[in-house]
Amino acid sequence: MNNGFPIQSVHALPKPYSKKEIPKNAAAKTSFKDVLQQQIVKPAPLKISKHANERMDKRGIEINSAQWETINRKVAEAKQKGVTDSLVITDDATLVVSAKNNTVITVMDRQEAKSQIFTNINGTIVID
């Protein structure tokens, strides 16, 4: 007598493996480092303000794509550490970057940067 209720079958659960019985293919061979790197999202590209773009053109400052990638990655890393405004120093140029807004504020060559005082900066990134 089932009183109008459907009858459900009961299935036995598989017996858990002991450490010695775990099949070799059951354990993933992916390291923690690999999993972490898969989860890391590429940072958004830096925006270049109109002012910074004009400064680069006027001063003949060129930054190649490999350098931009490095700058972008380091600014994102600094942002994760709480930096909001950073001074980025490369071999040829010095940039003031708002990590908070992901924007290059201004750019100058290294010679000009030697005689400057930078204020409102809470992080410095030196790139060789």
Side-chain angles (χ1 to χ4, degrees), residues 6-11:
I7 298 176
Q8 295 181 351
S9 59
V10 178
H11 299 282

Side-chain angles (χ1 to χ4, degrees), residues 41-47 68 72-73 75-76 79 101-103:
V41 178
K42 189 174 180 180
L46 289 172
K47 296 173 272 186
W68 277 120
N72 194 44
R73 189 175 67 250
V75 168
K79 185 176 182 178
N101 299 323
N102 219 33
T103 304

Side-chain angles (χ1 to χ4, degrees), residues 32-71:
F32 176 76
K33 182 180 175 183
D34 293 337
V35 172
L36 183 61
Q37 286 180 344
Q38 289 171 0
Q39 298 300 317
I40 295 175
V41 178
K42 189 174 180 180
L46 289 172
K47 296 173 272 186
I48 302 173
S49 70
K50 182 179 177 183
H51 173 76
N53 209 16
E54 289 171 357
R55 290 277 182 124
M56 289 177 68
D57 289 342
K58 182 179 177 184
R59 294 179 171 123
I61 298 170
E62 293 184 14
I63 299 175
N64 66 39
S65 60
Q67 287 174 314
W68 277 120
E69 277 187 41
T70 302
I71 292 167

Side-chain angles (χ1 to χ4, degrees), residues 2-126:
N2 69 7
N3 295 331
F5 294 107
I7 298 176
Q8 295 181 351
S9 59
V10 178
H11 299 282
L13 295 174
K15 178 183 167 192
Y17 291 109
S18 70
K19 288 183 180 181
K20 293 178 183 177
E21 296 175 333
I22 295 176
K24 290 183 181 182
N25 61 358
K29 294 186 179 187
T30 305
S31 70
F32 176 76
K33 182 180 175 183
D34 293 337
V35 172
L36 183 61
Q37 286 180 344
Q38 289 171 0
Q39 298 300 317
I40 295 175
V41 178
K42 189 174 180 180
L46 289 172
K47 296 173 272 186
I48 302 173
S49 70
K50 182 179 177 183
H51 173 76
N53 209 16
E54 289 171 357
R55 290 277 182 124
M56 289 177 68
D57 289 342
K58 182 179 177 184
R59 294 179 171 123
I61 298 170
E62 293 184 14
I63 299 175
N64 66 39
S65 60
Q67 287 174 314
W68 277 120
E69 277 187 41
T70 302
I71 292 167
N72 194 44
R73 189 175 67 250
K74 291 297 184 179
V75 168
E77 185 179 325
K79 185 176 182 178
Q80 288 178 340
K81 293 182 179 192
V83 173
T84 56
D85 296 293
S86 64
L87 181 68
V88 179
I89 302 170
T90 68
D91 289 336
D92 302 319
T94 301
L95 300 82
V96 175
V97 180
S98 168
K100 180 180 176 182
N101 299 323
N102 219 33
T103 304
V104 178
I105 305 301
T106 193
V107 180
M108 62 192 77
D109 61 29
R110 285 292 300 269
Q111 280 304 112
E112 184 182 1
K114 286 182 180 181
S115 63
Q116 298 295 319
I117 296 172
F118 298 95
T119 59
N120 299 324
I121 302 295
N122 68 344
T124 302
I125 301 167
V126 180

